[in-house]
Amino acid sequence: MQKSLIITSTRETLSKDQQAFNRLIKKIEKLRNDIQKKTVILDEKLKYYSNEIAPIESESLKCEVLLVKTMFKYFKTKIFKGKDKSILRQVIKNSMDNVMGVVGETDEELQKIFRHLNGVSYDQFLDEEFEMKQMMMNEVFEQFGFNINTDNMRRKMSDVELIEETEKLMNSLKEDFEQQQQQNGRKKTKKQLEREQLEKQKEELKSKNVSQIFKQLAKMFHPDLEQDEVKRMEKEELMKQLTMAYDANDLHTLLRLELDYIHKEESDTKNLTDEKLKVYNQVLREQAKDLEYELIDLPSHPQYSALHHLAGINLQMLYQLNLKLIASTRANRLESMQFSLSNLQASEQSAIWELKDCINTYRGFSER
């Protein structure tokens, strides 16, 4: 079991810096535990989704594609007319909304159906939708007084091209903002300048002290300097932890290794001077803030992108999702679609009955 990083003292009370250090260490350790626990929850949900829900969704997609194609075959005939034909068109279009975004650009038959029902090609529809979003973005920039244009962004850009163009836009936005400040004669306030200087000093201190701790501990932990075989193996493991923490710029782990060594070798924390504490506290506050953001952003990680469509806009809902219920609902929907497809493919008369039932059901929902 790892020793706590919490500072103790023989004095009646700890100094303010020592108290702050203890609070920050507790906060960081709690945040890390929370991240670990929530990562386990999301990993389990991702595993369940991959094993139980994804196969159902895959079969549902295939089934719905066949439904669209089969229903369209009867839509083109003169069997259905007037209001019934209009409703059948809408039923097919609703199903197409579920499949086009997944297989629409690769299925030529679906693209022909889309053009017939909508009057434009699917590719043209996507271009118009993208242009509309571009126009809305440009209008938002204009409303805030920024002369930024997104016209260089194209729908079929690769991920790399999209990232590069986004970076250009962000740089342009920053330059435009700075120009506005200069034109308005606004200078940075004393508070802003002090904050910038503090941030600069903090980064320098962090880099300096992380590097110093690493060098000091590397000397103490280096296994080549240890004659005892057991202790040499212990130090090999410590060196691995030390190197990983240094590469990750992880001050908290470096501190743990340093204080564990102090506890073990000296039985107190006298080497942790007030000057060191001030530096550590400054950096640990930033590290705690980073961990808070990491905890909030955890559900948004690309690793869990397969789950995102289940939670909608609020990805924090991923933790509360009842995946067994979702799997059951998806399975029932698939069974219903398979039953409808079976009727549509059985015979013309069976297909007509199925489509009439579908039209009447849709009419009943729309009239509520």
Side-chain angles (χ1 to χ4, degrees):
M1 184 177 178
Q2 287 183 317
K3 289 184 175 70
S4 173
L5 293 180
I6 303 303
I7 296 172
T8 57
S9 175
T10 55
R11 295 182 296 181
E12 290 185 6
T13 58
L14 298 174
S15 69
K16 286 185 178 180
D17 288 327
Q18 288 174 326
Q19 291 176 34
F21 180 90
N22 285 350
R23 283 196 301 271
L24 287 165
I25 290 299
K26 286 180 181 177
K27 184 174 184 179
I28 286 173
E29 292 183 347
K30 183 180 184 304
L31 284 167
R32 285 192 160 174
N33 286 334
D34 288 346
I35 289 170
Q36 186 177 16
K37 288 176 183 176
K38 292 200 171 184
T39 298
V40 170
I41 292 172
L42 292 176
D43 285 346
E44 288 175 349
K45 288 185 180 295
L46 183 61
K47 183 179 179 181
Y48 185 90
Y49 171 81
S50 300
N51 293 337
E52 305 295 335
I53 300 177
I56 297 173
E57 290 182 339
S58 178
E59 284 302 310
S60 296
L61 179 65
K62 294 175 187 176
C63 188
E64 195 150 19
V65 167
L66 288 173
L67 278 171
V68 167
K69 293 177 179 180
T70 309
M71 286 190 292
F72 183 70
K73 183 178 72 173
Y74 287 97
F75 174 81
K76 288 192 298 180
T77 68
K78 296 181 179 178
I79 296 173
F80 298 97
K81 298 178 182 179
K83 185 66 175 176
D84 283 355
K85 196 175 187 73
S86 296
I87 292 175
L88 183 56
R89 174 194 291 271
Q90 192 58 50
V91 169
I92 298 172
K93 287 177 73 172
N94 289 348
S95 289
M96 289 196 75
D97 288 342
N98 296 328
V99 301
M100 290 302 286
V102 185
V103 298
E105 292 191 84
T106 58
D107 192 310
E108 291 185 7
E109 188 177 350
L110 281 178
Q111 290 196 35
K112 289 178 182 178
I113 295 172
F114 186 92
R115 177 185 281 278
H116 185 97
L117 295 176
N118 295 279
V120 294
S121 69
Y122 185 58
D123 204 52
Q124 185 180 346
F125 166 77
L126 291 178
D127 285 338
E128 289 176 357
E129 192 177 57
F130 185 80
E131 288 171 8
M132 180 66 70
K133 290 177 180 177
Q134 268 187 316
M135 186 175 68
M136 291 174 67
M137 284 178 67
N138 290 335
E139 286 177 357
V140 169
F141 283 131
E142 286 177 12
Q143 285 176 4
F144 286 93
F146 296 112
N147 186 27
I148 306 298
N149 198 294
T150 64
D151 291 347
N152 288 333
M153 299 185 80
R154 302 182 306 280
R155 179 175 67 84
K156 293 186 178 181
M157 275 183 166
S158 67
D159 290 342
V160 174
E161 289 173 328
L162 196 59
I163 290 170
E164 288 176 351
E165 190 59 36
T166 302
E167 287 178 351
K168 288 178 185 177
L169 282 174
M170 294 304 294
N171 290 333
S172 179
L173 184 62
K174 183 180 178 182
E175 289 172 7
D176 199 37
F177 178 72
E178 289 174 352
Q179 285 177 2
Q180 283 189 22
Q181 281 194 319
Q182 290 175 1
Q183 289 170 2
N184 294 334
R186 294 177 184 170
K187 293 183 179 180
K188 291 182 179 178
T189 65
K190 184 179 179 181
K191 208 168 190 177
Q192 287 175 319
L193 291 170
E194 287 175 351
R195 190 182 299 117
E196 287 180 5
Q197 184 64 23
L198 183 62
E199 288 295 321
K200 185 178 178 182
Q201 289 174 352
K202 184 167 61 177
E203 286 305 312
E204 290 174 354
L205 286 168
K206 181 176 180 179
S207 176
K208 178 182 176 183
N209 281 276
V210 166
S211 179
Q212 282 179 348
I213 295 171
F214 173 76
K215 288 175 183 177
Q216 290 166 1
L217 292 180
K219 289 178 183 177
M220 293 186 287
F221 294 165
H222 205 290
D224 293 347
L225 303 176
E226 187 57 64
Q227 300 299 317
D228 185 275
E229 181 63 21
V230 175
K231 287 185 177 181
R232 190 177 67 79
M233 292 177 67
E234 287 178 359
K235 287 191 173 182
E236 283 179 355
E237 180 58 32
L238 285 170
M239 276 299 294
K240 287 180 186 177
Q241 294 179 40
L242 181 66
T243 304
M244 288 175 62
Y246 179 69
D247 290 342
N249 209 25
D250 184 354
L251 178 65
H252 182 264
T253 299
L254 289 172
L255 284 174
R256 179 182 291 285
L257 292 169
E258 182 181 42
L259 292 184
D260 279 353
Y261 180 83
I262 291 171
H263 279 300
K264 186 176 180 180
E265 300 297 323
E266 302 176 28
S267 301
D268 60 39
T269 54
K270 64 183 179 183
N271 285 0
L272 200 58
T273 63
D274 289 341
E275 185 180 353
K276 260 191 176 184
L277 273 175
K278 289 182 186 298
V279 174
Y280 289 168
N281 287 347
Q282 192 175 26
V283 179
L284 288 171
R285 285 189 189 95
E286 189 65 31
Q287 194 164 351
K289 189 184 295 183
D290 290 342
L291 287 170
E292 285 175 337
Y293 288 135
E294 183 181 343
L295 182 60
I296 293 169
D297 292 340
L298 185 60
S300 308
H301 195 283
Q303 179 181 350
Y304 305 114
S305 59
L307 299 172
H308 290 171
H309 70 289
L310 301 177
I313 297 174
N314 185 7
L315 294 183
Q316 295 297 323
M317 289 299 296
L318 285 178
Y319 299 114
Q320 285 80 44
L321 284 178
N322 186 337
L323 294 191
K324 289 185 179 180
L325 179 60
I326 291 174
S328 175
T329 304
R330 294 281 200 276
N332 290 339
R333 181 173 181 271
L334 173 58
E335 187 178 346
S336 176
M337 286 195 296
Q338 288 172 333
F339 179 78
S340 295
L341 185 61
S342 175
N343 288 337
L344 288 170
Q345 294 175 334
S347 66
E348 182 175 301
Q349 189 58 53
S350 174
I352 292 171
W353 286 339
E354 179 64 32
L355 289 172
K356 283 184 176 179
D357 184 59
C358 185
I359 289 167
N360 289 332
T361 300
Y362 184 90
R363 182 184 284 115
F365 277 118
S366 60
E367 289 176 354
R368 285 182 182 178

